Amino acid sequence: MAPLKKDNSQLDITLGVFGVCATLLLVPTVILSIIANHRNQPLHTRFSAPEDNACAGKNPLPPNVDCIHVEGRHLLEKANVTKTDPQDGYNLTKGNQGNIEVDYVPNTEPYWSSKMCPVNVHWHMGTEHYSLGEYDENGGGPQRSQDQPTAPDNQRVRPGYRCHHFDKNDRRFTTPYLWQHCINMQVGETYEVHWPHSAAGACGTFNQYQTPFYDGMFCNLD
């Protein structure tokens, strides 16, 4: 039995050496990863020059107009926009029946079978759609002031509706989190995530994902 003990001892030593080496290699890798993720670098396009982006400027729509405020309504009239579209903010309250007549038919097929691909992922602070008692003007969240700087470069955004789940006494909604890939986000806040798809996107290519996302939506529009 003595040789067996000797072999086991050598095996333990060998495994120990490999374990130490792996740990020594892993530690600097983790440190470098953390440093890279937490550098406060501005957002920028993946293209060194706009002309390298095959989808740049492909958005055929007029500029966004704030149709809520009076000062924006004359721009709607100037652009000959006489009605809202189905994509606009909608009342999703259970039982609500809309009264806007539209000429569009919803796509009920899987996106992949409709040759559609995602062209962007973005989110809004608060919801742009509305559901009474679920996410509405009475929802709660972390303390904030209206039109506070909540976007890169101190841009001001108008918050949307909020959910009703926030509880200031529940650590799930108040424990700070070190965001690694998002900017100016806060635990406990309401965010509406959009994942726009398009059959006219540059699907399966380097140009598929775009910012602004409308360029991606209409990149291959004939």
Side-chain angles (χ1 to χ4, degrees), residues 56 110 189:
E189 190 54 84

Side-chain angles (χ1 to χ4, degrees), residues 59-136:
N59 176 18
L61 302 176
N64 286 335
V65 175
D66 190 346
C67 56
I68 294 177
H69 294 95
V70 175
E71 58 266 30
R73 292 179 183 171
H74 73 282
L75 297 177
L76 285 173
E77 296 173 357
K78 185 177 180 180
N80 294 320
V81 178
T82 58
K83 65 178 182 178
T84 56
D85 290 324
Q87 184 60 35
D88 295 331
Y90 191 73
N91 186 344
L92 300 174
T93 304
K94 185 176 180 179
N96 177 66
Q97 181 63 47
N99 56 10
I100 299 176
E101 295 293 335
V102 297
D103 299 326
Y104 303 94
V105 178
N107 179 17
T108 59
E109 299 297 325
Y111 285 165
W112 64 265
S113 65
S114 304
K115 297 183 179 179
M116 301 177 70
C117 67
V119 297
N120 176 277
V121 179
H122 66 271
W123 51 91
H124 303 260
M125 190 174 86
T127 70
E128 99 180 292
H129 300 288
Y130 178 91
S131 180
L132 181 63
E134 189 176 10
Y135 38 90
D136 56 24

Side-chain angles (χ1 to χ4, degrees), residues 5 153 189:
K5 286 186 178 181
D153 302 325
E189 190 54 84

Side-chain angles (χ1 to χ4, degrees), residues 8 22 38 58 98-99 103 133 146 193 209:
N8 285 341
H38 290 85
K58 290 296 185 74
N99 56 10
D103 299 326
Q146 197 75 357
V193 180
Y209 284 89

Side-chain angles (χ1 to χ4, degrees), residues 135-147:
Y135 38 90
D136 56 24
E137 66 276 11
N138 298 314
Q143 184 65 35
R144 72 184 182 200
S145 60
Q146 197 75 357
D147 292 333

Side-chain angles (χ1 to χ4, degrees), residues 24-50:
L24 292 176
L25 290 173
L26 181 61
V27 170
T29 302
V30 172
I31 293 175
L32 290 174
S33 176
I34 293 175
I35 293 174
N37 284 334
H38 290 85
R39 286 176 179 170
N40 187 20
Q41 296 180 344
L43 296 177
H44 57 81
T45 177
R46 69 178 72 179
F47 301 97
S48 58

